[in-house]
Amino acid sequence: MELDLNKEMEVLLRRAREGGPSLPAGPHLDADTLSAFAANAIPAAARVSCVSHLADCTPCRTILAQLINHPEGISEAPAKVLAVAATPWYSKLFTLPKSAYATASLVILFGAIAVFFISQNIKEKGTEVSRNIEPAISSPKEMEVPSPATTLPPSTVEPTPETVAPTAPAVKKEIEQPPVKAKDMPEAPSVTAGAPPPPAPAAARVADEQVSDEVRNEAELPSARKAAPKMSAAPGSDATTVNGKTFVKKDGVWIDAQFSGETTINVKRSSEDFNRLDVGLRDIANKISGTVIVVWNGRAYRVQ
Amino acid sequence: MSSKFKSIIAATAARVLSRAVNSRGLAIDDITPRIEHSLEKYLFKDNPDVTAAEVVKFIDELRADELCLVLACEKGDADAWSDLVRDFDATVKSAARKMCANPADADDLASSIWAELHGLRRDDDGRVKSKLSYYSGRGSLGGWLRAIVSQLAIDEFRKQSKLVQVEENREFENLANEASTHADRSLVSPSESPEEELSNKLTATHVLAAIQEAIAMLSPDDRLMLKLYYFDDVRLKDLAATFGFHEATASRKLVRIQSAVRDLVEAILKKEHGWSESEVNRFLSEAAANLGMGIEHMFKVFIFAAVVQEVIRRCVL
């Protein structure tokens, strides 16, 4: 509550505490009277004499002010809470048994987090390995679609009874044919639905006419999903050739034979950056599962 | 004490015991003497025409649990003593720390308090003297203990007044010495010339003396309220609670008191120094303004230092 006080007088009065006489009327008040007065527990008649004394006795008035200014001194409840809470709660956390429990809990928690992340990493690597192995040993029924980048407008597709409807089983049916050829032929046909055959680099013009025919046929495939990457490598081998480019597998990564350790441009198959890549580069990346480093037009791309 | 209240006292004493959460096995005969003593001290002494209703009201307002605790301690109840120490040792130590400059002295003071309460002293007749017998149950036991600590601290300080006083014992000094003898009550800030400074000092001294005289002319209630608020920095709401009225009432009273002091000061200055109305107003304003300038200057320095510190912290660190 704000007081509408004369500021001058307020300043002067506060300074006036240092001076002035103090002639107490009668003997000093005892502790019981002071505590009762502070609690407003003195009957009116007795209060008069107390007030008369306190008005002029600085020591008694000072003690009274201390009692008034410290509520715990005049509260009904005893100081139990003060005694019990002598130790702050945060200090109790650092007492020996509690700190031991806390430390152990933290160790277990961080351990669990570490195990979780490690297991996640192992899972991802396992998935990559399984993807690499699948094209060689799995049946055509398994249909992995590396990325949604091969989406084409429906108008480019002329579905035939044999062609794949945009459903997994139908696509599987179409893909059944190429794996046979993938086994027989060292180079897997490029399957980029709806896209024209990529302009293979000069060094990669080993693709024969059969492959180009197949490419045309398979270009009619709907835009949906493609089979697992067609790699000419035999299961378990560390080398393969895709679209005329040779790749060697090292530490789980297919590395272009032309790669000489330069800085790579990292691209994810599911990203927009991947869609902006050259068709040929994308084709290669789509044919090889997992992480692959491709040297394309003088630059090294790491696609994963 | 009128015998007509005996039966009322006995009946109401029984109510005190029943009100207590823990009456500690006390009987009416254990509590009645203390109640009668309190009645005598606070009710009958200053009011010969006490009514039965006032007696009943007085007894019903006693703090039953704390009174029973104290009485049980006086009877030597070990459990009661344990509870007393457990519940109020912190209060005693807190009060002792406020009165003493160092923790060692505070512990000594607290120990002395407990010794006094246990009654290690004996009177001339050899009976154990305990301060517990002075607790009436009207005020809180914690407040009573704090007051005991303060008073004992003052007594100890007076005994040791020959020792060198440290600055931290300033509170002691103010309590033990009833009148301050400070000569340096400067209300002025440094001025340009010694003559002006002397003039300002004299003016300030006159103003201060007039204020003291005006305060002395107030009624005891007004004087006590003014001193508690301005001298002891008691908050308005606490002041209102102590005096038993609403905070708004307390604020209105303080405004009235301040205005009364102003009027008295003006009258005194005019009468004793022959100052005119305009001179009185000017000198009061100057005295307050000088102190205000001093405070403003301190605030400016403080704020500047705080800003510089913040800038250094942000830019350097």
Side-chain angles (χ1 to χ4, degrees):
Chain A
M1 177 163 296
E2 295 181 352
L3 298 179
D4 181 18
L5 298 175
N6 187 309
K7 295 299 179 186
E8 289 178 0
M9 285 308 301
E10 188 165 344
V11 167
L12 293 171
L13 284 170
R14 291 200 183 274
R15 283 301 300 236
R17 74 176 76 183
E18 297 175 1
S22 177
L23 304 173
H28 292 300
L29 301 180
D30 59 53
D32 189 72
T33 306
L34 288 169
S35 67
F37 192 98
N40 191 25
I42 302 282
R47 196 176 177 84
V48 174
S49 58
C50 295
V51 170
S52 296
H53 178 86
L54 289 166
D56 295 317
C57 178
T58 302
C60 288
R61 194 194 72 244
T62 304
I63 296 175
L64 174 66
Q66 290 175 355
L67 297 180
I68 296 172
N69 285 335
H70 295 94
E72 69 274 11
I74 60 174
S75 65
E76 181 70 33
K80 269 186 194 176
V81 175
L82 290 177
V84 170
T87 308
W89 64 270
Y90 48 85
S91 296
K92 292 183 182 177
L93 293 175
F94 294 97
T95 56
L96 189 56
K98 288 189 172 61
S99 65
Y101 293 142
T103 305
S105 302
L106 285 173
V107 169
I108 292 171
L109 177 66
F110 284 122
I113 292 172
V115 166
F116 173 76
F117 279 118
I118 290 171
S119 63
Q120 287 291 326
N121 285 338
I122 292 173
K123 213 174 180 180
E124 284 179 5
K125 287 187 179 176
T127 305
E128 289 179 7
V129 172
S130 65
R131 282 182 184 172
N132 292 338
I133 294 174
E134 275 171 11
I137 62 174
S138 65
S139 70
K141 289 182 183 175
E142 289 183 343
M143 261 250 343
E144 282 295 334
V145 183
S147 76
T150 54
T151 302
L152 288 175
S155 60
T156 61
V157 177
E158 295 179 13
T160 64
E162 291 81 20
T163 56
V164 179
T167 57
V171 176
K172 280 185 203 172
K173 187 177 176 182
E174 269 304 314
I175 301 302
E176 281 181 8
Q177 298 169 15
V180 173
K181 292 179 181 156
K183 282 182 186 174
D184 296 337
M185 298 176 63
E187 297 170 4
S190 173
V191 184
T192 305
R205 282 189 184 274
V206 295
D208 57 14
E209 297 302 323
Q210 272 186 325
V211 172
S212 59
D213 288 340
E214 286 167 357
V215 167
R216 276 199 293 276
N217 289 336
E218 291 185 6
E220 297 173 357
L221 288 175
S223 61
R225 305 194 173 242
K226 297 299 171 185
K230 299 180 181 55
M231 296 164 60
S232 59
S237 70
D238 292 334
T240 186
T241 303
V242 176
N243 290 5
K245 293 180 74 64
T246 304
F247 294 87
V248 176
K249 190 169 183 180
K250 186 178 179 183
D251 295 332
V253 178
W254 289 98
I255 302 173
D256 193 333
Q258 293 176 322
F259 179 67
S260 57
E262 61 267 37
T263 304
T264 60
I265 299 170
N266 298 333
V267 181
K268 287 191 177 179
R269 289 190 178 84
S270 58
S271 65
E272 287 298 319
D273 292 337
F274 182 80
N275 294 336
R276 293 192 206 107
L277 296 175
D278 285 351
V279 172
L281 174 56
R282 280 191 277 129
D283 182 49
I284 294 172
N286 287 333
K287 290 180 180 178
I288 302 177
S289 63
T291 304
V292 56
I293 297 176
V294 183
V295 178
W296 191 264
N297 288 340
R299 291 184 181 177
Y301 295 86
R302 183 187 178 98
V303 181
Q304 54 193 15
Chain B
M1 180 182 306
S2 174
S3 59
K4 66 179 178 179
F5 294 125
K6 289 282 186 184
S7 58
I8 295 173
I9 291 170
T12 320
R15 222 157 48 212
V16 173
L17 291 176
S18 63
R19 252 196 307 128
V21 173
N22 184 358
S23 62
R24 303 189 182 268
L26 295 172
I28 295 178
D29 292 337
D30 295 322
I31 198 171
T32 302
R34 186 62 58 87
I35 293 176
E36 290 175 347
H37 175 75
S38 299
L39 284 166
E40 188 63 45
K41 179 181 178 182
Y42 291 117
L43 207 59
F44 297 124
K45 179 179 143 187
D46 298 294
N47 186 5
D49 301 323
V50 178
T51 64
E54 288 173 325
V55 172
V56 171
K57 183 173 180 291
F58 181 93
I59 298 173
D60 281 341
E61 288 174 350
L62 293 176
R63 296 175 184 245
D65 277 285
E66 291 175 342
L67 186 58
C68 288
L69 175 63
V70 166
L71 290 170
C73 289
E74 286 184 62
K75 285 185 71 177
D77 185 336
D79 291 337
W81 272 113
S82 298
D83 292 346
L84 181 70
V85 174
R86 181 197 66 203
D87 295 344
F88 294 97
D89 187 47
T91 301
V92 170
K93 285 182 175 171
S94 169
R97 276 195 293 272
K98 287 188 190 311
M99 303 300 294
C100 297
N102 60 71
D105 290 341
D107 289 341
D108 288 343
L109 180 61
S111 299
S112 299
I113 294 296
W114 287 116
E116 293 274 351
L117 295 176
H118 274 90
L120 296 181
R121 296 181 186 176
R122 292 185 182 273
D123 59 12
D124 296 333
D125 298 327
R127 285 177 298 185
V128 173
K129 293 177 65 177
S130 169
K131 282 194 180 295
L132 286 176
S133 60
Y134 295 105
Y135 179 66
S136 68
R138 287 296 294 178
S140 71
L141 184 54
W144 180 75
L145 286 169
R146 295 189 80 94
I148 290 283
V149 170
S150 299
Q151 290 180 335
L152 185 63
I154 294 171
D155 293 341
E156 290 295 325
F157 181 78
R158 283 181 179 150
K159 287 177 188 175
Q160 299 176 18
S161 60
K162 294 179 183 178
L163 300 178
V164 176
Q165 295 178 19
V166 295
E167 188 59 28
E168 289 81 0
N169 285 335
R170 193 172 183 80
E171 193 168 1
F172 259 144
E173 183 179 347
N174 292 336
L175 288 174
N177 300 324
E178 294 178 359
S180 171
T181 56
H182 289 171
D184 185 18
R185 303 191 207 107
S186 174
L187 289 172
V188 302
S189 61
S191 54
E192 293 182 357
S193 68
E195 292 77 15
E196 280 186 10
E197 189 173 344
L198 179 63
S199 172
N200 289 337
K201 252 190 178 176
L202 285 173
T203 303
T205 303
H206 294 324
V207 168
L208 184 63
I211 290 175
Q212 295 293 345
E213 196 175 333
I215 291 174
M217 294 167 68
L218 296 173
S219 68
D221 276 290
D222 290 349
R223 193 158 63 248
L224 178 59
M225 268 196 74
L226 182 146
K227 289 184 178 181
L228 283 172
Y229 184 76
Y230 286 107
F231 295 4
D232 301 311
D233 297 324
V234 173
R235 291 176 299 182
L236 192 64
K237 68 179 182 67
D238 295 330
L239 195 65
T242 300
F243 281 81
F245 38 69
H246 196 269
E247 190 176 343
T249 307
S251 72
R252 283 194 300 271
K253 282 181 179 287
L254 278 172
V255 171
R256 177 185 57 76
I257 293 169
Q258 195 199 50
S259 177
V261 169
R262 172 86 189 209
D263 294 339
L264 289 170
V265 166
E266 289 179 358
I268 292 168
L269 291 172
K270 288 175 189 174
K271 179 182 174 186
E272 294 186 359
H273 304 285
W275 293 351
S276 65
E277 178 83 23
S278 60
E279 284 176 329
V280 166
N281 291 330
R282 181 164 59 88
F283 290 142
L284 285 176
S285 295
E286 282 178 4
N290 287 333
L291 179 62
M293 281 171 63
I295 291 179
E296 276 184 20
H297 178 69
M298 283 168 53
F299 272 124
K300 284 177 186 173
V301 171
F302 174 76
I303 292 171
F304 177 74
V307 168
V308 168
Q309 185 181 8
E310 186 66 21
V311 167
I312 291 173
R313 188 180 69 84
R314 285 179 185 273
C315 296
V316 176
L317 299 179

